[in-house]
Amino acid sequence: MDASAPDRDEVRQIGSVLRAMEIFEAIKDRGGATLADLDADVDLSKGTLHTYLTTFDRQGLVTREGDAYRLGYRFVTIGEHVRNHTPLYWAGWEAVDSLAEETGEYVHLVIESNGGEVAIYESIGKDAVAKEYHLRMRETPQELYDSAAGKALLAHLSEERIDEIVGDGELEPQTENTITDPEELRAELQTVRERGYAINDEEKIRGTRAVGAPILFQDGRLAGAVSVTAPASRLRGDRFTEDLPDTVMETANLIEVNLETESYDEDE
């Protein structure tokens, strides 16, 4: 890492923005929060919290239902704007739909954001399972080290960025199969780079496997990743080790071609 570059945690930040995000996260995590709830969660006086909430309410960022505050629908329109101005979404959504139809499973199109995995589009095949779980997971950026798409992303970041995200301490296990040793994970990432795809062998959810492939720009920069998730009972043998990896990599390549050959006008 460049010694002259400031540490991400040392860069000056605006306190009021940090407090606002803390309030939004507290409301989201509780599924709605009263002023008393927020007083317990956020280190601000009730008077200051009330001022924040009044401002958010007038801007459509929260709504009040009785004594409880919930996140407002303004976030929906902001999120749609972000997705609609992401070239990867336009380059990939049709290919993702086709992959879901072909496999019958759950397909994710994801990007790396602030060290986490964010889904910008998903398609649900006719045999897909755990739909409610996947929808909930979209509400919060996910870790990169325990999913197929996440490892496909992580493998194509710089070594400095990998060090920043992974660190050198033991990673939190999600299942008994989760890779928790950073050095073992780095070896796995090297394998991902060599063979062109990543796997999740019941590492995030017991009984679920996945295959993911990176999507790269022509100059080698990371654009995102695409993955297929299915029950381990359906994703085994050659389907897990050969057939699906080939299919997922083909889809990733198609999206890469779309990124290079199509024009995505942000003003459209």
Side-chain angles (χ1 to χ4, degrees):
M1 184 178 294
D2 185 354
S4 65
D7 185 271
R8 291 166 69 91
D9 292 333
E10 295 177 356
V11 175
R12 290 186 62 188
Q13 301 181 71
I14 299 174
S16 58
V17 175
L18 297 176
R19 297 290 81 75
M21 290 303 301
E22 192 175 355
I23 293 168
F24 292 143
E25 288 291 338
I27 294 172
K28 178 180 73 68
D29 291 344
R30 286 181 176 268
T34 65
L35 185 59
D37 292 331
L38 295 172
D39 184 45
D41 293 342
V42 182
D43 187 19
L44 292 171
S45 69
K46 283 188 177 181
T48 302
L49 280 168
H50 187 266
T51 300
Y52 271 98
L53 292 167
T54 299
T55 304
F56 297 156
D57 188 20
R58 291 181 178 176
Q59 296 299 316
L61 295 171
V62 302
T63 59
R64 186 172 181 177
E65 301 175 5
D67 293 333
Y69 293 88
R70 300 184 184 280
L71 296 184
Y73 294 111
R74 180 80 177 274
F75 283 106
V76 176
T77 59
I78 292 172
E80 286 294 317
H81 173 85
V82 172
R83 187 175 75 169
N84 290 342
H85 286 72
T86 302
L88 180 63
Y89 166 67
W90 291 107
W93 72 267
E94 287 184 304
V96 167
D97 281 349
S98 296
L99 184 57
E101 183 176 0
E102 178 181 352
T103 63
E105 307 293 359
Y106 217 114
V107 182
H108 308 260
L109 182 65
V110 306
I111 60 169
E112 183 269 330
S113 176
N114 201 32
E117 172 190 325
V118 176
I120 60 170
Y121 187 68
E122 295 174 323
S123 192
I124 305 173
K126 62 181 179 62
D127 299 320
V129 299
K131 299 174 186 177
E132 184 178 343
Y133 168 83
H134 288 295
L135 291 175
R136 287 200 312 272
M137 291 301 98
R138 289 172 53 182
E139 297 180 3
T140 304
Q142 299 297 300
E143 299 288 355
L144 297 176
Y145 64 87
D146 57 8
S147 72
K151 285 190 282 185
L153 293 170
L154 197 56
H156 291 82
L157 297 175
S158 68
E159 289 299 325
E160 293 80 6
R161 187 77 176 109
I162 293 173
D163 289 342
E164 187 177 316
I165 293 170
V166 175
D168 54 12
E170 184 169 314
L171 301 167
E172 182 179 356
Q174 300 300 317
T175 73
E176 61 184 13
N177 286 1
T178 306
I179 298 174
T180 59
D181 178 70
E183 290 311 309
E184 182 181 349
L185 177 62
R186 287 182 173 85
E188 174 79 3
L189 297 180
Q190 180 60 36
T191 299
V192 171
R193 287 188 285 269
E194 291 171 355
R195 70 187 178 193
Y197 68 91
I199 63 169
N200 162 11
D201 189 3
E202 302 188 65
E203 296 164 51
K204 194 174 188 69
I205 311 172
R206 189 168 60 85
T208 299
R209 286 174 168 163
V211 174
I215 299 165
L216 306 176
F217 291 107
Q218 191 171 31
D219 61 6
R221 288 180 299 117
L222 179 66
V226 60
S227 67
V228 175
T229 302
S233 60
R234 290 206 297 261
L235 197 51
R236 56 187 179 181
D238 288 347
R239 189 181 187 220
F240 186 41
T241 60
E242 297 181 17
D243 300 341
L244 190 59
D246 286 345
T247 302
V248 173
M249 287 190 291
E250 287 172 6
T251 299
N253 181 244
L254 174 59
I255 297 172
E256 289 172 341
V257 171
N258 288 342
L259 277 172
E260 295 301 324
T261 60
E262 301 294 333
S263 174
Y264 303 101
D265 187 349
E266 292 192 353
D267 294 326
E268 288 183 355

